[in-house]
Amino acid sequence: MAQGDDRASRLEAGARKEREVVMYTSLNLKDSVPLTETFEKRTGIKVQLWRTSSEKVVQRAVTEARAGRFACDILETNGPEMEAMYRERLLDEFYSPNFKDLPPAAFPKHRHYVADRFNFFTIGYNTSLVKPDEVPQSYEELVLPKWAGRVGMEASDVDWFGAMVKTMGEEKGMAFFRKLADSRPQLRTGHTLMAELVASGEIPLAIAIYNHNIERLTVKGAPTRWKAINPTFGRPNAIGVARRAPRPHAAMVFVDFMLSKEGQTIIRDRNRVPSSLSVDTHLNKFAFHMIDPVITLDENDKWEKLWSDLFLKGRRLQKETES
């Protein structure tokens, strides 16, 4: 929490003695490695990465803490999982001078973690199959007869579903999703896969797809575009410092880097959505709301059952591993 003039020099001196930092993350290696390599070159501090699904990040952190083993310095994964680790008292409150560049949506009230990137749920479509005047302007248009069997959905977006229903009002929201289910949407597991299916033309349009996944294909020349439709929801991916971090100075130096303009520019250049307002990107230039982690942590059984009954014929959902 230090904020004095000597903060940077104290952290750097301590980090040099600690020599390395250990991070558990769900960010895939093709995006996390460019960040860690740049950090290592700049600071000389080695980053030890353990990359897995967001659920397994939580499981390992909780298991180790309960066993009295504290190996991790930094935790970086989906917002709901970060909130779960906060509830388990695994995170310490911290301060970074780069907080000044972050929007209010990046912070939970308790400030024990902070968003370093966002996933935004938008629609994505194939421009060879969907004409400009056919692009939906509202979610309600997606249940029109012309879209029957032509819309793709990621099969595990339960938190987005819950947020949509609560925002629409439960009666109206459930009526909309029943109509959507009746229109025979094509379900697949994985937002990256869904974007690729849109690009290939197998699925003309996908609902609740991460805009950065579509953007990655667009810049490579794929016939794809994305559009934010009101209400647009986001899921924060956040970074936090472990409460019993064995290398706290190195942890804070790395957090500062991740939230800096340099670190956030790398995130943007990987065609992800940086949380910092110091980095310009069209991937966040629209009105949005953050999904309340309560939906995942306290109401999941309700929303998962409703989702499964509507779209999976009662089957248990399979969650994607990438965030």
Side-chain angles (χ1 to χ4, degrees):
M1 294 298 294
Q3 301 184 31
D5 293 339
D6 63 342
R7 175 184 180 275
S9 59
R10 287 170 55 196
L11 288 179
E12 290 169 5
R16 283 194 295 271
K17 293 178 182 179
E18 294 163 352
R19 302 179 64 182
E20 69 174 11
V21 64
V22 175
M23 179 168 68
Y24 297 170
T25 182
S26 59
L27 180 61
N28 64 50
L29 293 177
K30 69 177 182 287
D31 292 335
S32 57
V33 169
L35 285 160
T36 58
E37 286 181 343
T38 301
F39 175 78
E40 289 174 347
K41 289 177 182 177
R42 183 163 300 286
T43 66
I45 300 166
K46 180 70 176 176
V47 182
Q48 300 288 346
L49 275 179
W50 186 70
R51 191 269 164 187
T52 187
S53 68
S54 57
E55 286 183 329
K56 289 183 179 179
V57 168
V58 177
Q59 290 170 3
R60 179 168 180 174
V62 170
T63 299
E64 290 182 345
R66 289 177 178 174
R69 180 171 180 264
F70 303 99
C72 177
D73 304 300
I74 296 169
L75 295 154
E76 199 274 357
T77 191
N78 288 339
E81 283 77 8
M82 294 297 292
E83 183 67 22
M85 290 187 284
Y86 161 71
R87 294 184 183 188
E88 290 283 343
R89 300 180 61 81
L90 300 182
L91 301 173
D92 233 341
E93 188 176 4
F94 64 94
Y95 165 81
S96 171
N98 297 312
F99 282 178
K100 69 181 186 304
D101 297 321
L102 303 180
F107 299 93
K109 291 180 180 179
H110 50 71
R111 291 193 170 221
H112 279 65
Y113 58 82
V114 60
D116 56 356
R117 52 195 173 95
F118 292 123
N119 289 339
F120 287 120
F121 294 89
T122 65
I123 64 168
Y125 58 95
N126 186 299
T127 56
S128 299
L129 301 174
V130 181
K131 299 176 182 177
D133 60 354
E134 293 178 321
V135 178
Q137 302 300 309
S138 69
Y139 285 108
E140 286 75 10
E141 290 183 38
L142 292 167
V143 298
L144 294 176
K146 68 179 181 179
W147 292 109
R150 302 179 66 209
V151 173
M153 294 176 63
E154 206 285 324
S156 63
D157 282 336
V158 173
D159 56 346
W160 169 79
F161 165 62
M164 286 286 292
V165 172
K166 292 177 81 167
T167 298
M168 291 178 168
E170 193 148 338
E171 183 177 349
K172 181 181 177 182
M174 287 304 300
F176 165 76
F177 278 100
R178 288 189 190 99
K179 290 180 181 177
L180 186 61
D182 289 342
S183 71
R184 308 184 310 281
Q186 301 184 51
L187 270 71
R188 303 287 192 278
T189 298
H191 290 93
T192 300
L193 172 62
M194 184 60 67
E196 291 169 349
L197 294 175
V198 170
S200 71
E202 183 173 334
I203 294 176
L205 182 146
I207 186 174
I209 193 167
Y210 296 159
N211 65 342
H212 69 260
N213 282 340
I214 290 291
E215 185 72 12
R216 283 181 165 173
L217 298 172
T218 302
V219 298
K220 292 179 180 178
T224 53
R225 294 290 186 276
W226 59 268
K227 181 179 178 64
I229 294 180
N230 187 49
T232 295
F233 284 98
R235 182 194 293 142
N237 287 265
I239 192 166
V241 178
R243 181 178 290 273
R244 299 284 294 275
R247 293 160 290 267
H249 299 87
M252 280 309 310
V253 173
F254 186 81
V255 168
D256 283 349
F257 168 76
M258 281 287 282
L259 300 177
S260 71
K261 187 171 184 178
E262 182 179 17
Q264 292 285 293
T265 298
I266 295 172
I267 290 174
R268 182 198 64 189
D269 291 346
R270 302 301 302 170
N271 290 306
R272 285 186 176 270
V273 188
S275 60
S276 177
L277 299 177
S278 69
V279 178
D280 185 58
T281 174
H282 69 286
L283 292 174
N284 63 5
K285 287 185 170 18
F286 45 80
F288 60 86
H289 312 274
M290 285 292 107
I291 295 176
D292 189 340
V294 165
I295 292 173
T296 300
L297 299 180
D298 302 326
E299 302 172 357
N300 185 69
D301 289 349
K302 169 187 174 178
W303 298 114
E304 188 169 311
K305 185 179 188 308
L306 288 170
W307 175 269
S308 178
D309 290 345
L310 281 172
F311 298 108
L312 304 178
K313 298 181 179 180
R315 297 191 306 272
R316 186 173 181 175
L317 63 84
Q318 178 182 351
K319 295 185 178 180
E320 69 172 340
T321 60
E322 181 179 326
S323 64

